[in-house]
Amino acid sequence: DMTATYRRRAELLATGLNSINGIKCNMPDGAIYVFARISETGLSSSAFCNRLLEKCKISATPGHFFGTNGEGFARFSVVTDELDIKLALKRMAIEFGIKK
């Protein structure tokens, strides 16, 4: 049951992130997080995650924490409730805008 739940949440999160300006995200193959490319926002991974926390009240992990190749990425967990994921996506869309 949890595998299906996490998969559904990952799909929701990846799809939502892909609709936001400057963010691209592939669907994970079985992880409990998504690793989104945020480099097109023009922010470093630390600056991006700090902005999320300060402006949107969203916690994400800067990609550079996972090695030098992680710069330009942010990691988002899928172990939170679907309603919280939807709220986070809505806040991010307000902050960064939706792709046209």
Side-chain angles (χ1 to χ4, degrees):
D1 277 346
M2 286 312 296
T3 301
T5 297
Y6 288 152
R7 179 106 181 127
R8 187 173 56 251
R9 291 176 185 172
E11 287 173 358
L12 173 66
L13 185 54
T15 301
L17 289 171
N18 280 322
S19 72
I20 296 171
N21 285 329
I23 302 175
K24 294 187 180 178
C25 184
N26 292 326
M27 182 65 191
D29 287 331
I32 58 171
Y33 58 86
V34 297
F35 206 58
R37 185 166 50 128
I38 52 88
S39 56
E40 291 180 18
T41 64
L43 301 170
S44 69
S45 57
S46 286
F48 177 84
C49 290
N50 286 337
R51 184 167 166 182
L52 285 183
L53 189 58
E54 292 171 10
K55 302 273 186 171
C56 305
K57 307 300 183 216
I58 298 167
S59 179
T61 306
H64 71 84
F65 283 7
F66 305 99
T68 56
N69 290 333
E71 182 53 55
F73 291 83
R75 187 169 102 162
F76 297 87
S77 174
V78 299
V79 296
T80 190
D81 186 87
E82 285 182 43
L83 291 175
D84 289 334
I85 292 171
K86 289 177 182 178
L87 178 59
L89 290 168
K90 185 176 187 175
R91 289 177 179 172
M92 289 176 64
I94 291 168
E95 182 66 21
F96 294 98
I98 298 289
K99 291 177 182 168
K100 305 266 179 195

